[in-house]
Amino acid sequence: MAETREFKAEPPEGIDPLGASSEGASLYELIREDIIEGRLAANERLVVTDLARRHGTSTNPVREALQLLRGEGFVTFLPNRGARVRPIDQDFVRDIYEIGVLIEPALTRWFVNMATDEDIAELERLQGLIEENNFADTFRHSELDTAFHTVMYQRHYNRHAAELWWKHREVLRAVSRRFNFTLARRAAIIREHRELIAHVKAGNADEAAELIARHVEGSGRHVLEHMRARNAARAG
């Protein structure tokens, strides 16, 4: 069993997390972080040559990184205007998590009908690590929580749906890193994970699907509430 501090979630099998060269992937991470942290402002123009100069690289990896960020929605391309930073606002977050509310119940329903004893044991193992960490290290929690949900979706026959889930989850994970979990949200995550495992054991596919919809919506609303509070504080 991997130590919690060493744990790193991986995408479902067959899904390339980035599909980029190592240099393009590295730039993708750096530019995305600059967007999320506000170092690259909303609607700011992203000039390939400027970014290449800033990061000490050639232009090809920069173009590769910008295409990856476009696929996630962090960057937009406009005719004759080039690439610009998309505002990471409440509408952006709402749109992302609402897609999860639509597709994850279908993925979960399928999983419940196909789950093996090994799947259930892995869910319980990961949940044990989540509770052991108890949100002390939010990065560990994020990795373990992602792995927990990946167990349910990694073998789904619809690879397009599984890949969409992964990419959108990675977007929300990146955005939510700026905010701490409230005590209420911590309790809800633990409770809902335990209830979900119980539904999987009992073969309650419909109940599990309904629960995952509430779970995803709760996560999205939690981020939105933090964003509203931050914006109100800035306005005040």
Side-chain angles (χ1 to χ4, degrees):
M1 184 186 304
E3 292 292 335
T4 309
R5 65 177 177 273
E6 299 172 348
F7 196 90
K8 180 72 171 68
E10 298 292 341
E13 186 176 350
I15 293 176
D16 189 334
L18 291 178
S21 66
S22 59
E23 194 171 6
S26 177
L27 281 172
Y28 154 84
E29 296 284 355
L30 291 171
I31 297 170
R32 187 175 73 163
E33 190 69 16
D34 283 344
I35 292 172
I36 291 168
E37 294 300 326
R39 290 186 289 269
L40 290 170
N43 299 309
E44 181 175 342
R45 189 181 176 202
L46 299 169
V47 180
V48 171
T49 53
D50 290 347
L51 289 170
R53 191 179 306 112
R54 179 187 303 178
H55 294 289
T57 186
S58 64
T59 57
N60 284 340
V62 174
R63 290 191 178 94
E64 193 175 14
L66 292 180
Q67 288 297 333
L68 291 169
L69 291 163
R70 179 189 193 182
E72 287 190 338
F74 285 111
V75 167
T76 60
F77 281 77
L78 299 174
N80 303 317
R81 297 178 62 187
R84 291 184 181 273
V85 175
R86 172 172 179 161
I88 308 304
D89 55 16
Q90 294 175 43
D91 288 344
F92 177 79
V93 170
R94 180 206 62 209
D95 291 349
I96 292 294
Y97 89 73
E98 283 186 353
I99 291 172
V101 171
L102 291 172
I103 67 172
E104 289 197 47
L107 296 174
T108 299
R109 188 177 288 106
W110 182 89
F111 170 74
V112 172
N113 290 322
M114 301 294 292
T116 65
D117 290 342
E118 290 76 14
D119 291 329
I120 294 171
E122 182 64 2
L123 288 176
E124 291 183 321
R125 183 185 78 85
L126 290 167
Q127 182 59 20
L129 290 174
I130 288 170
E131 293 177 15
E132 177 185 306
N133 181 55
N134 196 29
F135 302 91
D137 185 320
T138 55
F139 178 80
R140 292 182 199 169
H141 172 82
S142 177
E143 295 295 323
L144 290 165
D145 186 67
T146 296
F148 179 93
H149 289 278
T150 302
V151 169
M152 298 190 292
Y153 307 149
Q154 62 188 353
R155 294 198 311 275
H156 199 279
Y157 66 89
N158 189 327
R159 305 315 293 158
H160 295 290
E163 184 169 11
L164 184 63
W165 165 76
W166 173 264
K167 289 182 176 180
H168 282 190
R169 183 177 181 87
E170 287 296 278
V171 170
L172 286 179
R173 281 216 295 166
V175 173
S176 65
R177 282 207 309 268
R178 293 177 291 175
F179 309 118
N180 293 322
F181 291 98
T182 63
L183 292 177
R185 186 61 200 154
R186 293 181 184 186
I189 290 169
I190 299 300
R191 181 182 68 253
E192 289 166 1
H193 276 197
R194 282 296 175 189
E195 290 177 2
L196 185 58
I197 292 172
H199 285 316
V200 175
K201 285 182 175 180
N204 298 331
D206 290 338
E207 289 85 346
E210 292 173 3
L211 175 59
I212 206 70
R214 294 196 304 273
H215 187 67
V216 174
E217 184 170 15
S219 294
R221 289 187 178 279
H222 182 259
V223 175
L224 286 181
E225 287 167 4
H226 275 292
M227 293 179 78
R228 291 190 189 103
R230 181 198 60 191
N231 291 342
R234 286 177 176 174

